[in-house]
């Protein structure tokens, strides 16, 4: 699972820097907006006493002035809100994009342990919350705090003794708010975690629904789901209760404070330290103060919730990353595909090697078949060749170049994989074969022809522009395999890694895939995890792996004559083919 980390919104500040121009205009509007409050307070000090003076013209003039100030204020507020929204959204977009980039380079071993649903939730919901809070902080909290300070300044100027008395109350409010804040943050983090777990379960459930139905396990899944949503409800309820309690507590303190001010104000007037105009201004200031206090306290809660989300997002950063490329990496030209393993040992956990002292050699253009029981280390060999992992001892050489001294991305352009179970991203057939690489349409078509896929693709309603559904669910298994073969040969790789499909296709589809494979394999070195008799029979060399060690090697005929492990394996593994 993802481990914890501490990170705050402060770390997002550098992301704001590129948007300084728009921010400056926005903050300019904010200053204009906040700056209008002292004017309005001063105006109220004149207007309220004037109301009782009978000077209608004077009163009307003051009202018009107040309307003008209000109009400017609201215009400035619009400028502030609209100008600050852009940078806030851009920052959260940048955050998402950075995290996704990071996710793309998480070590594959670590990635397999993460839940897809949980990650999806983090990168959608948590990221949205962060975005929301960031926007609120910039366009609401910041001006509210400014307004609070400005109005307090005016009030201090009007009557510092009275204001100092009020300020004695402030630490109590701040203490209460922060007390709630910490609890709200912890509760939110728990409830977000619950939603993530829910998303994880949903991901699993949707994937496994046919299986669940086949086993009539719906009631079991339903009760697991209900247990999860119940835990989620409880966690959410705790957050709501805390916020619900906070409102009346802070509200009561505010009201008590207001009456205390009225009493103190009356006392100041009685002693002659304050006149009625001063008190009018002062009370207006007090009223103007209530709004920003409410905003700051509410936003503080949301801020804490956003902090929890941000922390959950930042945890992605702590996942182990793919090892960096070596500093002075050699460049790869066109490779011939000569492959050599020299005493290669590797373990996912270095203390428990799964490959022991492998020595292997394939000339350029050779077909090398790997056979062996499941768990022998065949796929691990592939992962070393793709540099998903690096061997702990020994060397792997491609055309004499040590794989560990190459840039991984450059290497992967020369080493192509046809996996056992192919998936494609939704999109057109053309895009599925191109897979983000820089290749012309003509190159894609050539690759499809090699893979014996051109004909069926052209027969699709929109040819190469036909849409493939998620995971290629609208084409047959054999067709999907041929698309995968075309995708693999597109960059003209020197080394082809082929994990033969175990599931049987009908004879016709099988023949079409085999033809595609044969054409795709020509002129390259091929390492194939073999599941078909025909493949091993045609291989230049067969390597028998058992528990991470090579126990035999040779051609099919040699190995069959020798009997032993290979013959056993063959008879078990290729039994269907042998019977045919
Ligand atoms: P094969 O492809 O021959 O079935 P693998 O290469 O998948 O065998 O597995 C070889 C050994 O490595 C097995 O014992 C397997 O449990 C272990 N293994 C495979 N992948 C991982 C992984 N990502 N993390 C830890 N151990 C692994």
């Amino acid at each position: 699972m993802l481990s914890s980390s501490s990170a705050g919104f402060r770390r997002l500040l550098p992301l704001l820097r590129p948007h300084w121009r728009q921010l400056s205009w926005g903050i300019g509007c904010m200053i204009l907006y906040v700056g209008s409050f002292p004017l309005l307070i001063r105006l109220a000090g004149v207007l309220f006493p004037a109301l009782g003076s009978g000077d209608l013209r004077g009163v009307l003039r003051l009202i018009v002035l107040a309307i003008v100030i209000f109009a400017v204020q609201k215009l400035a507020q619009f400028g502030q809100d609209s100008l600050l929204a852009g940078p806030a959204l851009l920052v959260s977009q940048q955050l998402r994009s950075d995290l996704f980039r990071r996710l793309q380079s998480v070590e594959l071993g670590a990635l397999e342990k993460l839940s897809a649903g949980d990650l999806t939730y983090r990168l959608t919901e948590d990221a949205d919350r962060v975005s929301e809070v960031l926007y609120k902080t910039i366009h609401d909290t910041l001006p509210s705090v400014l307004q609070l300070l400005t109005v307090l300044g005016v009030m201090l100027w009007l009557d510092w003794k009275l204001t100092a008395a009020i300020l004695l109350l402030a630490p109590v409010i701040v203490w209460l708010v922060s007390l709630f804040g910490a609890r709200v943050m912890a509760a939110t983090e728990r409830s977000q975690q619950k939603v993530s777990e829910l998303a994880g379960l949903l991901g699993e459930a949707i994937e496994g629904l046919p299986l669940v139905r086949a086993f009539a396990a719906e009631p079991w899944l339903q009760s697991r789901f209900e247990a999860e949503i119940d835990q989620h409800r409880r966690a959410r309820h705790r957050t709501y209760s805390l916020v619900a309690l906070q409102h009346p507590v802070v509200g009561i303190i505010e009201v008590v404070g207001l009456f205390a001010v009225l009493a103190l104000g009356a006392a100041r007037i009685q002693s002659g330290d304050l006149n009625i105009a001063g008190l009018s201004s002062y009370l207006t200031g007090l009223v103007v103060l209530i709004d920003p206090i409410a905003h700051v306290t509410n936003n503080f809660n949301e801020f804490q919730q956003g902090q929890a989300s941000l922390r959950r997002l930042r945890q992605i950063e702590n996942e182990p990353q793919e090892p960096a490329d070596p500093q002075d990496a050699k460049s790869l030209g066109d490779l011939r595909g000569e492959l050599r393993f020299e005493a290669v040992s590797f373990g996912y956990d270095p203390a428990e090697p799964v490959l022991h002292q492998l020595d292997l050699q394939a000339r350029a253009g050779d077909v090398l078949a790997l056979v062996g029981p499941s768990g022998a280390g065949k796929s691990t060999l592939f992962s070393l060749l793709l540099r998903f992992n690096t061997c702990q001892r020994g060397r792997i050489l491609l055309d004499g170049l040590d794989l560990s001294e190459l840039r991984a991305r450059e290497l992967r352009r020369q080493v192509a994989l046809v996996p056992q179970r192919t998936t494609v991203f939704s999109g057109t057939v053309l895009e599925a074969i191109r897979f983000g690489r820089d290749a012309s349409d003509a190159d894609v078509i050539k690759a499809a022809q090699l893979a014996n896929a051109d004909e069926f693709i052209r027969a699709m309603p929109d040819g190469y522009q036909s849409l493939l559904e998620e995971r290629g669910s609208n084409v047959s298994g054999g067709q999907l395999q041929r698309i995968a073969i075309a995708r693999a040969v597109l960059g003209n790789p020197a080394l082809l890694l082929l994990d033969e499909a175990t599931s049987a296709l009908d004879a016709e589809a099988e023949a079409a895939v085999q033809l595609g494979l044969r054409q795709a394999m020509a002129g390259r070195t091929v390492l194939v995890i073999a599941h078909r008799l025909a493949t091993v029979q045609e291989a230049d060399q067969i390597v028998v792996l058992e528990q991470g060690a090579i126990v035999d090697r040779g051609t099919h005929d040699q190995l069959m004559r020798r009997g032993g492990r290979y013959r056993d394996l063959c008879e078990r593994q290729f039994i269907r083919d042998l019977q045919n």
Side-chain angles (χ1 to χ4, degrees):
M1 233 17 265
L2 297 160
S3 55
S4 76
S5 84
S6 65
F9 277 88
R10 205 160 359 116
R11 279 183 56 198
L12 294 181
L13 287 181
L15 297 179
L16 278 171
R17 206 170 295 141
H19 315 295
W20 67 270
R21 200 186 292 269
Q22 198 173 345
L23 276 173
S24 312
W25 281 107
I27 289 171
C29 288
M30 189 190 295
I31 290 170
L32 195 62
Y33 167 71
V34 174
S36 63
F37 282 105
L39 289 181
L40 287 173
I41 292 170
R42 186 90 190 87
L43 202 62
V46 188
L47 179 63
F48 290 130
L51 288 177
S53 70
D55 175 12
L56 187 59
R57 278 179 71 91
V59 167
L60 285 179
R61 210 171 322 117
L62 288 172
I63 287 177
V64 169
L65 189 60
I67 289 173
V68 170
I69 296 176
F70 263 121
V72 172
Q73 186 193 47
K74 292 300 157 197
L75 211 63
Q77 193 179 20
F78 167 73
Q80 162 201 298
D81 290 355
S82 55
L83 284 167
L84 296 179
L89 287 170
L90 282 168
V91 165
S92 65
Q93 182 179 341
Q94 185 65 42
L95 176 72
R96 245 190 203 138
S97 148
D98 289 350
L99 287 173
F100 191 67
R101 186 170 302 114
R102 229 149 146 118
L103 187 65
Q104 290 221 61
S105 60
V106 167
E107 213 178 63
L108 287 181
L111 196 63
E112 281 165 12
K113 296 195 187 92
L114 301 178
S115 143
D118 174 79
L119 281 174
T120 310
Y121 183 81
R122 288 181 197 231
L123 281 168
T124 49
E125 290 297 315
D126 279 323
D128 251 354
R129 189 178 284 244
V130 168
S131 162
E132 192 67 22
V133 167
L134 200 64
Y135 176 55
K136 268 226 161 117
T137 305
I138 297 182
H139 95 116
D140 193 32
T141 311
L142 203 60
S144 294
V145 169
L146 269 184
Q147 185 178 339
L148 210 71
L149 294 177
T150 311
V151 174
L152 269 178
V154 174
M155 286 165 74
L156 274 169
W157 176 72
L158 283 171
D159 187 339
W160 71 268
K161 280 186 190 155
L162 187 52
T163 310
I166 295 172
L167 281 180
L168 286 179
L169 260 178
V172 182
I173 297 184
V174 170
W175 173 73
L176 263 175
V177 169
S178 61
L179 193 74
F180 276 106
R183 276 153 207 244
V184 167
M185 178 159 89
T188 306
E189 199 161 357
R190 254 197 312 279
S191 101
Q192 296 293 85
Q193 185 55 37
K194 285 288 156 217
V195 185
S196 265
E197 285 168 20
L198 194 65
L201 177 65
L202 265 177
E204 267 185 287
I206 291 165
E207 189 100 335
L209 219 48
L211 200 64
V212 169
R213 204 163 293 175
F215 279 80
E218 292 96 338
W220 165 79
L221 185 59
Q222 185 72 27
S223 66
R224 244 187 94 169
F225 186 74
E226 268 161 21
E228 282 286 345
I229 53 177
D230 194 51
Q231 283 183 26
H232 166 244
R233 179 191 53 81
R234 281 169 207 271
R236 254 277 182 283
H237 197 183
R238 174 141 180 79
T239 318
Y240 288 163
S241 312
L242 274 169
V243 174
L245 186 63
Q246 181 181 17
H247 285 158
V249 170
V250 174
I252 285 173
I253 292 182
E254 276 173 3
V255 169
V256 169
L258 186 67
F259 286 126
V261 171
L262 284 180
L264 284 170
R268 301 283 291 161
I269 288 187
Q270 193 188 30
S271 67
D273 292 317
L274 198 63
N275 58 19
I276 199 74
L279 187 66
S280 300
S281 281
Y282 200 87
L283 288 179
T284 310
L286 210 59
V287 170
V288 172
L289 215 52
I290 288 173
D291 202 35
I293 288 179
H295 280 238
V296 170
T297 44
N298 277 339
N299 292 354
F300 186 68
N301 282 343
E302 279 187 40
F303 186 80
Q304 298 288 58
Q305 298 180 354
Q307 191 100 333
S309 282
L310 188 61
R311 210 157 48 200
R312 285 163 43 76
L313 279 176
R314 290 285 195 193
Q315 281 166 359
I316 296 175
E317 290 181 347
N318 290 355
E319 291 299 314
Q321 299 280 298
E322 263 215 324
D325 284 323
Q327 288 281 320
D328 47 354
K330 294 196 178 78
S331 272
L332 280 181
D334 278 341
L335 295 182
R336 283 169 290 120
E338 201 181 278
L339 187 65
R340 233 181 126 88
F341 278 58
E342 292 180 350
V344 169
S345 296
F346 168 77
Y348 293 93
D349 170 1
E352 287 175 34
V354 294
L355 295 178
H356 311 272
Q357 297 274 333
L358 292 197
D359 284 304
L360 259 184
Q361 206 167 344
R363 287 165 309 178
D366 269 3
V367 175
L368 198 147
L370 297 168
V371 296
S374 126
K378 304 178 296 289
S379 320
T380 304
L381 219 80
F382 277 14
S383 85
L384 290 181
L385 284 167
L386 285 162
R387 265 267 306 273
F388 292 163
N389 294 294
T390 324
C391 55
Q392 281 115 7
R393 263 186 288 153
R395 299 195 300 169
I396 304 176
L397 304 167
L398 193 57
D399 283 16
L401 299 167
D402 190 335
L403 289 199
S404 65
E405 291 169 10
L406 304 176
R407 285 185 204 95
R409 289 173 58 80
E410 222 172 299
L411 169 70
R412 288 169 196 156
R413 269 199 277 272
Q414 295 282 344
V415 182
L417 174 71
V418 181
Q420 195 173 70
R421 285 182 54 202
T422 299
T423 68
V424 288
F425 280 75
S426 53
T428 65
V429 176
L430 197 77
E431 286 164 353
I433 297 177
R434 188 178 278 142
F435 211 15
R437 290 163 295 180
D438 187 20
S440 67
D441 290 3
D443 288 339
V444 172
I445 293 170
K446 218 159 82 194
Q449 283 166 342
L450 259 187
N452 191 28
D454 182 61
E455 205 176 316
F456 90 78
I457 296 171
R458 285 186 196 279
M460 289 172 83
D462 296 308
Y464 280 85
Q465 296 299 339
S466 309
L467 286 177
L468 289 174
E469 283 164 15
E470 214 175 313
R471 300 194 195 99
S473 53
N474 59 335
V475 288
S476 75
Q479 290 173 335
L480 195 60
Q481 282 181 25
R482 284 184 274 161
I483 289 175
I485 298 166
R487 180 175 66 188
V489 295
L490 175 64
N492 194 22
L495 182 61
L496 189 65
L497 305 179
L498 170 62
D499 195 350
E500 275 189 334
T502 41
S503 56
L505 299 171
D506 63 61
E508 200 178 331
E510 178 80 42
V513 172
Q514 286 307 322
L515 176 62
L517 273 176
R518 194 157 297 135
Q519 292 177 168
M521 283 157 74
R524 316 175 204 284
T525 310
V526 181
L527 236 70
V528 47
I529 298 179
H531 294 290
R532 288 192 185 83
L533 187 59
T535 312
V536 286
Q537 281 172 333
E538 285 170 28
D540 296 293
Q541 195 188 158
I542 301 164
V543 170
V544 187
L545 266 180
E546 216 154 83
Q547 297 188 347
I550 297 175
V551 293
D552 211 348
R553 67 179 92 203
T555 62
H556 176 69
D557 292 338
Q558 289 168 348
L559 290 171
M560 282 305 261
R561 269 200 301 278
R562 218 177 287 158
R565 300 296 301 138
Y566 178 72
R567 202 193 174 108
D568 282 357
L569 258 174
C570 242
E571 281 167 4
R572 262 186 284 140
Q573 198 168 335
F574 308 128
I575 202 144
R576 189 170 52 89
D577 292 354
L578 284 171
Q579 280 166 347
N580 291 342

